[in-house]
């Protein structure tokens, strides 16, 4: 699992650029899927026909990034952010564009008492003219912050986009197990989550499953002087009780709780009133869908590099499979 998480976390998929990588991702399911597709909004959808209620596993595959919106005469790029990235995070960071062009973010000299914004930043491609820059990174192209992947000790992983590529790996593993069991299951790699759960909304409307399990990250609170959050790495995945977009239906909550108890898997409970996820948009689809959230405790969510414990991911897979099997239409 570590190797797959590493491979998927290194894909360059800023929100809106999902369709470029999804063909290779979807191709890995050709041995088991009845169909795969990339829909109009850029969601990757894998279907397996079978028995029982229709269960959908949803994990967003996009990540925050930046987009070029102006090129200076001397070849420096101006940009805007895609998703929640703050200017102070970006100074001195390396970027990698969707066409693999690389650059580094610089900052205009400012008075120390002046507030910093993205308008004060630029990307240096190492060129001297707008023409050279446009050839490498035209206006409208997107990029991600190029943070390396690393193993920390025996069980911890650090890197860019672990939120939510680790969730994608978990969802894919659970899908394969359910498909092998002959269940009716759909896997959705949702698009444009970091700019408002746009892909999840359209996918849920089209699929209308009996149960949706959203697999994502949630912030851990086990670091020194961290914001209060009762999630710890290595203590199991978390059952989403609520975030800023959804309160989990009691019926779904009970099934998830029972599934964990049946497997004797330790789970934690996520109450994150400021958080956002695909679950909220899915829950509101048409007349409403039954949705539950299974979360991977993650340090430094919203930062350029996150840390997870692979044991939490492995337990989440078992938990998702058991919950899907216990669900009754």
């Amino acid at each position: 699992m570590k190797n797959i998480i590493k491979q998927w976390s290194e894909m360059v998929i800023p929100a809106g650029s999902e369709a470029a990588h999804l063909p290779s991702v979807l191709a890995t399911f050709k041995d088991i899927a009845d169909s795969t597709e990339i829909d109009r909004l850029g969601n990757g959808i894998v279907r397996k026909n079978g028995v029982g209620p229709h269960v959908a596993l949803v994990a967003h595959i996009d990540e925050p990034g930046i987009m070029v919106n102006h090129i200076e005469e001397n070849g420096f790029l101006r940009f805007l952010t895609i998703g929640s990235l703050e200017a102070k995070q970006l100074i001195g960071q390396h970027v990698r564009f969707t066409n693999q062009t690389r650059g580094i973010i610089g900052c205009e000299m400012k008075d120390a008492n002046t507030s910093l914004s993205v308008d004060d930043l630029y990307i240096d491609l190492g060129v001297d003219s707008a023409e050279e820059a446009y050839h490498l990174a035209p206006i409208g192209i997107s990029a991600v912050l190029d943070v390396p992947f690393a193993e920390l000790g025996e069980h911890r992983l650090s890197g860019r986009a672990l939120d939510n590529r680790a969730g994608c790996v978990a969802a894919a593993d659970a899908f394969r197990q359910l498909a092998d069991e002959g269940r009716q299951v759909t896997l959705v790699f949702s698009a444009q989550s970091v700019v408002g759960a746009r892909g999840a909304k359209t996918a849920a409307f089209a699929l209308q499953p009996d149960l949706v399990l959203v697999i994502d990250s949630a912030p851990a609170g086990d670091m020194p002087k961290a914001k209060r959050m009762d999630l710890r790495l290595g203590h199991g995945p978390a059952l989403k009780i609520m975030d800023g977009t959804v309160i989990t239906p009691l019926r779904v909550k009970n099934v998830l709780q029972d599934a964990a108890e049946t497997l004797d898997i330790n789970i934690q409970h996520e109450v994150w009133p400021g958080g956002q996820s695909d679950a909220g948009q899915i829950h509101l689809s048409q007349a409403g869908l039954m949705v539950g959230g299974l979360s991977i405790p993650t340090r430094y969510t919203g930062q350029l590099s996150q840390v997870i414990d692979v044991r939490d991911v492995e337990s989440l897979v078992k938990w998702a499979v058991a919950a899907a099997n216990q669900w009754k239409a």
Side-chain angles (χ1 to χ4, degrees):
M1 179 173 280
K2 287 182 181 179
N3 290 335
I4 298 174
I5 292 175
K6 177 180 186 295
Q7 178 184 347
W8 285 22
S9 73
E10 291 177 340
M11 295 187 294
V12 178
I13 312 181
S17 301
E18 298 86 358
H21 278 280
L22 280 171
S24 61
V25 172
L26 299 185
T28 64
F29 297 94
K30 63 182 179 181
D31 62 326
I32 195 168
D34 289 318
S35 67
T36 64
E37 67 168 307
I38 301 172
D39 71 10
R40 295 174 189 171
L41 209 77
N43 298 301
I45 300 175
V46 186
R47 292 185 176 91
K48 180 66 177 180
N49 300 321
V51 299
H54 179 195
V55 175
L57 303 165
V58 177
H60 76 84
I61 199 167
D62 64 313
E63 62 184 297
I66 61 176
M67 179 181 289
V68 176
N69 65 351
H70 178 71
I71 301 176
E72 304 274 344
E73 289 185 3
N74 53 8
F76 292 103
L77 308 178
R78 300 292 183 166
F79 62 91
L80 51 80
T81 58
I82 304 170
S84 56
L85 292 172
E86 297 180 8
K88 63 183 179 181
Q89 296 176 288
L90 305 181
I91 300 172
Q93 295 294 329
H94 290 261
V95 300
R96 182 152 51 111
F97 288 89
T98 54
N99 65 359
Q100 301 306 311
T101 293
R102 295 176 185 268
I104 188 169
I105 296 177
C107 180
E108 298 174 357
M109 295 296 293
K110 297 193 68 175
D111 184 274
N113 296 320
T114 306
S115 60
L116 183 70
S117 75
V118 172
D119 290 340
D120 301 312
L121 307 181
Y122 56 85
I123 300 172
D124 185 347
L125 298 179
V127 300
D128 297 316
S129 69
E131 184 179 5
E132 291 177 280
Y134 190 86
H135 177 72
L136 293 172
I139 290 174
I141 195 171
S142 299
V144 299
L145 286 301
D146 200 11
V147 179
F149 178 93
E151 294 191 31
L152 304 179
E154 184 179 356
H155 302 293
R156 306 281 167 87
L157 305 176
S158 171
R160 195 199 86 246
L162 293 180
D163 172 12
N164 185 40
R165 304 291 161 67
C168 290
V169 172
D173 200 351
F175 171 85
R176 285 188 171 276
Q177 292 186 39
L178 290 166
D180 281 338
E181 294 172 8
R183 294 297 307 276
Q184 181 183 189
V185 60
T186 300
L187 171 62
V188 179
F189 296 115
S190 60
Q192 298 191 40
S193 179
V194 302
V195 289
R198 297 171 184 174
K201 181 177 182 178
T202 59
F205 186 93
L207 294 170
Q208 291 295 293
D210 298 302
L211 172 68
V212 183
L213 298 178
V214 175
I215 300 175
D216 205 340
S217 295
D222 57 352
M223 307 86 75
K225 296 186 178 180
K227 186 176 181 180
R228 182 180 296 173
M229 190 75 180
D230 287 336
L231 298 182
R232 295 183 290 170
L233 266 62
H235 288 255
L239 192 167
K240 184 186 292 292
I241 305 299
M242 71 163 289
D243 65 20
T245 67
V246 68
I247 298 175
T248 300
L250 186 59
R251 182 186 171 198
V252 179
K253 175 188 169 185
N254 290 340
V255 167
L256 289 170
Q257 189 77 48
D258 291 345
E261 291 175 359
T262 299
L263 291 175
D264 195 25
I265 290 177
N266 187 67
I267 62 170
Q268 306 180 75
H269 295 85
E270 172 198 339
V271 179
W272 185 21
Q276 297 184 359
S277 69
D278 285 349
Q281 290 287 3
I282 291 169
H283 190 42
L284 297 177
S285 179
Q286 291 192 2
L289 291 177
M290 299 301 282
V291 62
L294 290 71
S295 301
I296 301 167
T298 305
R299 290 178 183 166
Y300 320 118
T301 55
Q303 301 299 311
L304 303 184
S305 185
Q306 300 96 49
V307 176
I308 63 169
D309 191 307
V310 73
R311 294 171 296 184
D312 296 331
V313 184
E314 292 167 345
S315 293
L316 188 150
V317 173
K318 298 174 184 176
W319 183 29
V321 171
N325 280 325
Q326 287 191 23
W327 184 259
K328 306 299 181 184

